[in-house]
Amino acid sequence: MANAPLRVIDFHTHPYRPGDLAPATWRFIQSISPAVREHGDRLEDAGYVAGLLRAQGVERAVVLPEHCPDSSGNVRTETVIELCRAAPDFFLPFASVNPNTDPDPAGLLRRYVREGPVHGLKLYPSYQFFYPNERRVYPIYEACVEHGLPVLLHVGTSVIPGTRLRYCDPVHLDDVAVDFPELPIVMAHGGRGWWYDACATLASLHRNVYIDVAGLVPSKLLEHFPALERLADRVVFGSDWPAMPKSVDHNARRIASLGLSSEATEKILYRNAARLLGLEGGGGGAGR
Ligand SMILES: [Zn+2]
């Protein structure tokens, strides 16, 4: 059972773009990532990265831009869409828009969807400085609903200088979940730091709210979320690759050995993400 092949979708990876990141973000990634130390600038080749991740059992990987010029970095959506063309049947590019620096973020998101492919949206409240329930942000969610895109939001502490944690208190997502019941809302990092309970509560209250476990130590997931088995419909696997101290394969196997039912494990590692990304039934989910 422990050696059964695992089907894995990685809902949370970042592209290798040292020159687009803030210097402190890049230093942090270098300090924790064995993949960066081992492969270095070969990771600029997205086809090479797809090969590495496939060799670790990953079937598909979401790739996240970050349009956060005042904090973590400025990896634009255009860049990620272009990189993902190296392996279009493997990578799933997301978009990143910034409510404070883009004059019409919802319009920009619609443009990305038109020119795409784009499979979801990443928002960074603590790096972009807005509360997710501000009414000025709502047109962005309307565009997501219109195009069937999930929204992934950074929710949790971070070592990136300039982070303002108050913006990612998960309580603000309660409004969004109520006002957009058709919008899948994924809380990246599950409230890392001191909001694990709040995230678990939101995910169990709202059928459209999910937790992504990127950046969490997999062997500690049951400490953070004691009701993980019951929450299994609402949790997706993500690695934060390449900013991770182990490997994607290691993390997936640790989750598979937590003692959860095999059904819960499959949901967390694969099925929930497949559903959120429109990959069920063998479809590509592109251009939705
Ligand atoms: Zn991340």
Side-chain angles (χ1 to χ4, degrees), residues 12 14 64 122 189 240:
H12 190 134
H14 294 274
L64 303 169
K122 175 86 185 274
H189 316 300
D240 230 356

Side-chain angles (χ1 to χ4, degrees), residues 90 112 133 189 244 253 284:
F90 180 75
Y112 288 141
N133 61 348
H189 316 300
M244 63 185 308
R253 292 204 172 275

Side-chain angles (χ1 to χ4, degrees), residues 5-11 56-61 90 237-238 248-249 252-253 266 268-270 273:
L6 299 171
R7 295 191 78 187
V8 174
I9 294 173
D10 192 333
F11 204 83
Q56 294 188 46
V58 179
E59 282 188 27
R60 306 292 298 262
F90 180 75
F237 174 75
V248 180
D249 177 59
R253 292 204 172 275
E266 275 172 40
I268 292 169
L269 292 179
Y270 189 89

